[in-house]
Amino acid sequence: MRQHSKHDNIIIGISHGDINGIGYEVILKTLRDPRILEMCTPIVYGSPKVAAYHRKALNINDVSFNHIRSTKEAFHKKANIINCVDEQVRVELGKSTEEAGLSSYNALEKATQDLEKGYIDALITAPINKDNIQGENFKFPGHTEFLAEKFNTKDYAMLMVSETMKVGVVTTHIPISEVAQSLTKEAILSKIRIINKSLQQDFSITRPRIAVFGLNPHAGDNGLIGKEDKEIILPAVIEAKKEGIIALGPYPADGFFGSEDYRKFDAILAMYHDQGLIPFKLASFDRGVNYTAGLPVIRTSPAHGTAYSLAGEDKASPESFRQALYLAIDIYKNRQIYDEISKNPLRKYEINPNQVDESVDIEASEEEDNL
């Protein structure tokens, strides 16, 4: 971690994502707020030429960049940009191109290198196209897996964050047909541990409450609709409780959101991608943030994709990107506080597993009426 003086701003790196999507639009719209420069020093890893193209296309005249070659040259009262792509790069709004994929990768690689060296304090990744970025150096389903390998992290979790809920998933970008066979007690327990630690370290929640979903309808109805809930998920929850983690479930996903029981918990662990992300994006699409929990570094991203259909139309909302920036700053500060507390054993607060408060528990396999 970079050592700061009292007057240093937090340095936030931003990889520009797909140059033919809305990445630059949400970046520019976020950075046009002068208050951002009071909170952090932004450094865009991208292309001054591409940034100028989008500024002109969107008629954004109140944002300019300080062109730098390295983070050492960053100006702390202005937005900065480091060129990471070929000067001859061509922007084709709304199109998926090989050139755009290469530009996405080059910016991400350079930003990741600086993140690893401690030159930047956190990284915000603008949306990429997960197809056109594939190549010799990038063979991953997305940012999350790429960064996990870069930082030699085997245990990590995609955590979707908003003001109303935090949702993690056990399995991420795999086919639905492979979900059930990928679920193990160890895999579920690992995600519970990661989310619990992240809630403490990154969100300053002393005693987090985590709701764990079942896999099958009605969380299996005690084994009547599939065995995974009773034989795999429940044992993981029980083991987590023995470790002092306040994990409860498994709960049926549909009734859980319908009854707003999610408000009683600090985080939710879903078994697969759409089980958790559909309700999350329905409730928080414009303000949701994708956070990679478990990494030794801080990485956030807006909860949306490249949105090619909106590229160059001045219709994209910057709110999700703005929230990703705010969250990165908050997590950086929270980790500093957590590290200080960890250094002082007298300030630690240990949870007694025999005193876990389960007053928020709800019937996990309750049958819905009239269905």
Side-chain angles (χ1 to χ4, degrees), residues 189-223:
L189 186 58
S190 172
K191 299 299 184 186
I192 294 173
R193 289 169 177 156
I194 293 165
I195 291 173
N196 183 69
K197 175 68 179 292
S198 180
L199 291 172
Q200 295 173 330
Q201 173 184 261
D202 302 329
F203 297 91
S204 296
I205 301 173
T206 305
R207 301 182 68 211
R209 300 173 184 267
I210 303 171
V212 181
F213 281 174
L215 172 67
N216 299 296
H218 309 168
D221 266 348
N222 200 32

Short mmCIF file of all heavy atoms in Angstrom, two decimals, residues 189-223:
data_model
loop_
_atom_site.label_atom_id
_atom_site.label_comp_id
_atom_site.label_asym_id
_atom_site.label_seq_id
_atom_site.Cartn_x
_atom_site.Cartn_y
_atom_site.Cartn_z
N LEU A 189 -18.65 -22.45 1.89
CA LEU A 189 -18.03 -21.96 3.12
C LEU A 189 -16.95 -20.93 2.82
O LEU A 189 -16.81 -19.92 3.54
CB LEU A 189 -17.45 -23.14 3.91
CG LEU A 189 -16.88 -22.84 5.29
CD1 LEU A 189 -17.93 -22.20 6.19
CD2 LEU A 189 -16.35 -24.12 5.93
N SER A 190 -16.20 -21.15 1.76
CA SER A 190 -15.16 -20.20 1.36
C SER A 190 -15.76 -18.83 1.06
O SER A 190 -15.24 -17.79 1.50
CB SER A 190 -14.40 -20.72 0.15
OG SER A 190 -13.51 -19.74 -0.36
N LYS A 191 -16.86 -18.80 0.29
CA LYS A 191 -17.50 -17.52 -0.05
C LYS A 191 -18.06 -16.84 1.20
O LYS A 191 -17.98 -15.61 1.33
CB LYS A 191 -18.62 -17.75 -1.06
CG LYS A 191 -18.17 -18.34 -2.38
CD LYS A 191 -17.20 -17.48 -3.14
CE LYS A 191 -16.85 -18.08 -4.49
NZ LYS A 191 -15.81 -17.34 -5.21
N ILE A 192 -18.62 -17.63 2.12
CA ILE A 192 -19.14 -17.05 3.36
C ILE A 192 -18.02 -16.37 4.13
O ILE A 192 -18.16 -15.25 4.63
CB ILE A 192 -19.82 -18.13 4.23
CG1 ILE A 192 -21.07 -18.68 3.55
CG2 ILE A 192 -20.18 -17.56 5.61
CD1 ILE A 192 -21.71 -19.86 4.27
N ARG A 193 -16.89 -17.05 4.23
CA ARG A 193 -15.74 -16.49 4.95
C ARG A 193 -15.24 -15.20 4.31
O ARG A 193 -14.94 -14.21 4.98
CB ARG A 193 -14.60 -17.51 4.99
CG ARG A 193 -14.85 -18.71 5.89
CD ARG A 193 -13.79 -19.76 5.64
NE ARG A 193 -13.91 -20.92 6.50
CZ ARG A 193 -13.44 -22.14 6.18
NH1 ARG A 193 -12.82 -22.33 5.02
NH2 ARG A 193 -13.60 -23.14 7.03
N ILE A 194 -15.13 -15.22 2.96
CA ILE A 194 -14.63 -14.05 2.25
C ILE A 194 -15.56 -12.86 2.44
O ILE A 194 -15.11 -11.74 2.72
CB ILE A 194 -14.48 -14.36 0.74
CG1 ILE A 194 -13.38 -15.40 0.51
CG2 ILE A 194 -14.18 -13.09 -0.04
CD1 ILE A 194 -13.42 -16.02 -0.86
N ILE A 195 -16.85 -13.09 2.29
CA ILE A 195 -17.82 -12.00 2.44
C ILE A 195 -17.83 -11.49 3.87
O ILE A 195 -17.88 -10.27 4.11
CB ILE A 195 -19.22 -12.48 1.99
CG1 ILE A 195 -19.24 -12.71 0.48
CG2 ILE A 195 -20.29 -11.46 2.39
CD1 ILE A 195 -20.51 -13.33 -0.04
N ASN A 196 -17.76 -12.39 4.84
CA ASN A 196 -17.73 -11.97 6.24
C ASN A 196 -16.52 -11.09 6.52
O ASN A 196 -16.64 -10.02 7.14
CB ASN A 196 -17.71 -13.21 7.14
CG ASN A 196 -17.76 -12.86 8.62
OD1 ASN A 196 -18.78 -12.39 9.11
ND2 ASN A 196 -16.67 -13.08 9.32
N LYS A 197 -15.36 -11.50 6.03
CA LYS A 197 -14.13 -10.71 6.24
C LYS A 197 -14.23 -9.37 5.52
O LYS A 197 -13.83 -8.33 6.06
CB LYS A 197 -12.92 -11.50 5.72
CG LYS A 197 -11.59 -10.76 5.76
CD LYS A 197 -11.13 -10.52 7.18
CE LYS A 197 -9.77 -9.79 7.20
NZ LYS A 197 -8.68 -10.65 6.69
N SER A 198 -14.77 -9.37 4.31
CA SER A 198 -14.90 -8.13 3.56
C SER A 198 -15.85 -7.16 4.24
O SER A 198 -15.59 -5.95 4.29
CB SER A 198 -15.38 -8.42 2.13
OG SER A 198 -15.50 -7.22 1.39
N LEU A 199 -16.94 -7.65 4.79
CA LEU A 199 -17.89 -6.78 5.47
C LEU A 199 -17.23 -6.11 6.68
O LEU A 199 -17.50 -4.95 6.99
CB LEU A 199 -19.12 -7.57 5.92
CG LEU A 199 -20.03 -8.08 4.80
CD1 LEU A 199 -21.09 -9.02 5.35
CD2 LEU A 199 -20.68 -6.92 4.05
N GLN A 200 -16.35 -6.85 7.35
CA GLN A 200 -15.63 -6.29 8.49
C GLN A 200 -14.54 -5.32 8.06
O GLN A 200 -14.43 -4.21 8.57
CB GLN A 200 -15.03 -7.42 9.33
CG GLN A 200 -16.06 -8.33 9.99
CD GLN A 200 -15.44 -9.53 10.67
OE1 GLN A 200 -14.39 -10.03 10.26
NE2 GLN A 200 -16.08 -10.01 11.74
N GLN A 201 -13.72 -5.75 7.12
CA GLN A 201 -12.55 -4.99 6.70
C GLN A 201 -12.88 -3.84 5.78
O GLN A 201 -12.33 -2.73 5.92
CB GLN A 201 -11.58 -5.94 6.00
CG GLN A 201 -10.38 -5.26 5.35
CD GLN A 201 -9.52 -6.24 4.59
OE1 GLN A 201 -8.50 -6.71 5.08
NE2 GLN A 201 -9.93 -6.57 3.37
N ASP A 202 -13.76 -4.07 4.81
CA ASP A 202 -14.02 -3.10 3.75
C ASP A 202 -15.23 -2.22 4.01
O ASP A 202 -15.35 -1.14 3.43
CB ASP A 202 -14.21 -3.82 2.42
CG ASP A 202 -13.00 -4.66 2.04
OD1 ASP A 202 -11.87 -4.28 2.42
OD2 ASP A 202 -13.17 -5.71 1.39
N PHE A 203 -16.17 -2.71 4.85
CA PHE A 203 -17.40 -1.95 5.08
C PHE A 203 -17.60 -1.58 6.56
O PHE A 203 -18.63 -1.03 6.92
CB PHE A 203 -18.60 -2.76 4.57
CG PHE A 203 -18.57 -2.99 3.09
CD1 PHE A 203 -17.96 -4.12 2.55
CD2 PHE A 203 -19.13 -2.07 2.21
CE1 PHE A 203 -17.91 -4.33 1.18
CE2 PHE A 203 -19.08 -2.27 0.84
CZ PHE A 203 -18.47 -3.41 0.32
N SER A 204 -16.61 -1.91 7.39
CA SER A 204 -16.63 -1.54 8.82
C SER A 204 -17.88 -2.03 9.55
O SER A 204 -18.43 -1.32 10.39
CB SER A 204 -16.48 -0.02 8.97
OG SER A 204 -15.21 0.41 8.50
N ILE A 205 -18.31 -3.24 9.23
CA ILE A 205 -19.44 -3.86 9.93
C ILE A 205 -18.86 -4.87 10.92
O ILE A 205 -18.27 -5.88 10.52
CB ILE A 205 -20.40 -4.55 8.95
CG1 ILE A 205 -20.94 -3.52 7.95
CG2 ILE A 205 -21.55 -5.22 9.70
CD1 ILE A 205 -21.77 -4.13 6.83
N THR A 206 -19.00 -4.63 12.20
CA THR A 206 -18.33 -5.44 13.22
C THR A 206 -18.86 -6.86 13.27
O THR A 206 -18.09 -7.82 13.32
CB THR A 206 -18.50 -4.78 14.60
OG1 THR A 206 -18.04 -3.44 14.55
CG2 THR A 206 -17.69 -5.55 15.65
N ARG A 207 -20.17 -7.02 13.28
CA ARG A 207 -20.77 -8.35 13.37
C ARG A 207 -21.73 -8.56 12.19
O ARG A 207 -22.94 -8.43 12.33
CB ARG A 207 -21.52 -8.52 14.69
CG ARG A 207 -20.65 -8.34 15.93
CD ARG A 207 -21.44 -8.56 17.20
NE ARG A 207 -21.83 -9.97 17.33
CZ ARG A 207 -22.93 -10.38 17.94
NH1 ARG A 207 -23.79 -9.51 18.42
NH2 ARG A 207 -23.19 -11.67 18.04
N PRO A 208 -21.21 -8.86 11.03
CA PRO A 208 -22.06 -8.98 9.83
C PRO A 208 -23.05 -10.14 9.92
O PRO A 208 -22.75 -11.19 10.50
CB PRO A 208 -21.03 -9.25 8.71
CG PRO A 208 -19.70 -8.90 9.27
CD PRO A 208 -19.79 -9.15 10.74
N ARG A 209 -24.21 -9.95 9.33
CA ARG A 209 -25.22 -11.00 9.20
C ARG A 209 -25.32 -11.37 7.72
O ARG A 209 -25.56 -10.51 6.89
CB ARG A 209 -26.58 -10.51 9.71
CG ARG A 209 -26.59 -10.08 11.17
CD ARG A 209 -27.94 -9.45 11.52
NE ARG A 209 -27.96 -8.94 12.88
CZ ARG A 209 -28.38 -9.64 13.93
NH1 ARG A 209 -28.81 -10.88 13.76
NH2 ARG A 209 -28.37 -9.10 15.14
N ILE A 210 -25.16 -12.63 7.43
CA ILE A 210 -25.14 -13.09 6.04
C ILE A 210 -26.26 -14.10 5.81
O ILE A 210 -26.35 -15.11 6.52
CB ILE A 210 -23.79 -13.74 5.70
CG1 ILE A 210 -22.64 -12.76 5.95
CG2 ILE A 210 -23.78 -14.22 4.24
CD1 ILE A 210 -21.27 -13.38 5.84
N ALA A 211 -27.11 -13.82 4.85
CA ALA A 211 -28.17 -14.75 4.46
C ALA A 211 -27.67 -15.62 3.32
O ALA A 211 -27.10 -15.13 2.36
CB ALA A 211 -29.42 -13.99 4.02
N VAL A 212 -27.87 -16.93 3.43
CA VAL A 212 -27.41 -17.87 2.42
C VAL A 212 -28.63 -18.48 1.73
O VAL A 212 -29.53 -19.00 2.39
CB VAL A 212 -26.55 -18.98 3.05
CG1 VAL A 212 -26.07 -19.95 1.98
CG2 VAL A 212 -25.37 -18.39 3.80
N PHE A 213 -28.65 -18.41 0.40
CA PHE A 213 -29.77 -18.94 -0.36
C PHE A 213 -29.65 -20.44 -0.57
O PHE A 213 -28.54 -20.99 -0.59
CB PHE A 213 -29.85 -18.27 -1.74
CG PHE A 213 -30.47 -16.90 -1.72
CD1 PHE A 213 -30.49 -16.13 -2.86
CD2 PHE A 213 -31.03 -16.38 -0.56
CE1 PHE A 213 -31.05 -14.87 -2.86
CE2 PHE A 213 -31.61 -15.12 -0.55
CZ PHE A 213 -31.61 -14.36 -1.71
N GLY A 214 -30.80 -21.05 -0.79
CA GLY A 214 -30.82 -22.42 -1.26
C GLY A 214 -30.64 -22.43 -2.77
O GLY A 214 -30.64 -21.38 -3.42
N LEU A 215 -30.51 -23.63 -3.32
CA LEU A 215 -30.36 -23.76 -4.77
C LEU A 215 -31.70 -24.02 -5.44
O LEU A 215 -32.02 -23.42 -6.47
CB LEU A 215 -29.40 -24.91 -5.09
CG LEU A 215 -29.30 -25.29 -6.57
CD1 LEU A 215 -28.64 -24.16 -7.37
CD2 LEU A 215 -28.52 -26.59 -6.74
N ASN A 216 -32.48 -24.90 -4.85
CA ASN A 216 -33.73 -25.36 -5.47
C ASN A 216 -34.93 -24.54 -5.03
O ASN A 216 -34.85 -23.79 -4.05
CB ASN A 216 -33.95 -26.84 -5.10
CG ASN A 216 -32.82 -27.72 -5.60
OD1 ASN A 216 -32.61 -27.85 -6.80
ND2 ASN A 216 -32.07 -28.31 -4.68
N PRO A 217 -36.06 -24.65 -5.75
CA PRO A 217 -37.27 -23.97 -5.31
C PRO A 217 -37.61 -24.34 -3.86
O PRO A 217 -37.45 -25.49 -3.46
CB PRO A 217 -38.35 -24.49 -6.28
CG PRO A 217 -37.58 -24.85 -7.51
CD PRO A 217 -36.26 -25.38 -7.02
N HIS A 218 -38.02 -23.35 -3.10
CA HIS A 218 -38.38 -23.54 -1.69
C HIS A 218 -37.21 -24.07 -0.88
O HIS A 218 -37.40 -24.72 0.15
CB HIS A 218 -39.59 -24.49 -1.53
CG HIS A 218 -40.75 -24.13 -2.37
ND1 HIS A 218 -41.83 -24.97 -2.56
CD2 HIS A 218 -41.02 -23.01 -3.09
CE1 HIS A 218 -42.71 -24.40 -3.36
NE2 HIS A 218 -42.24 -23.21 -3.70
N ALA A 219 -35.99 -23.80 -1.33
CA ALA A 219 -34.78 -24.30 -0.66
C ALA A 219 -34.84 -25.81 -0.47
O ALA A 219 -34.35 -26.36 0.51
CB ALA A 219 -34.55 -23.59 0.67
N GLY A 220 -35.46 -26.50 -1.45
CA GLY A 220 -35.47 -27.96 -1.46
C GLY A 220 -36.59 -28.61 -0.68
O GLY A 220 -36.78 -29.84 -0.77
N ASP A 221 -37.34 -27.82 0.11
CA ASP A 221 -38.43 -28.41 0.92
C ASP A 221 -37.96 -29.65 1.68
O ASP A 221 -38.53 -30.74 1.57
CB ASP A 221 -39.65 -28.74 0.05
CG ASP A 221 -40.67 -27.60 0.04
OD1 ASP A 221 -40.52 -26.68 0.87
OD2 ASP A 221 -41.59 -27.64 -0.78
N ASN A 222 -36.88 -29.47 2.43
CA ASN A 222 -36.35 -30.55 3.28
C ASN A 222 -36.02 -31.81 2.49
O ASN A 222 -36.22 -32.93 2.96
CB ASN A 222 -37.32 -30.87 4.42
CG ASN A 222 -36.63 -31.60 5.56
OD1 ASN A 222 -35.45 -31.39 5.82
ND2 ASN A 222 -37.37 -32.48 6.23
N GLY A 223 -35.52 -31.62 1.27
CA GLY A 223 -35.08 -32.75 0.48
C GLY A 223 -36.08 -33.25 -0.54
O GLY A 223 -35.77 -34.15 -1.34
#
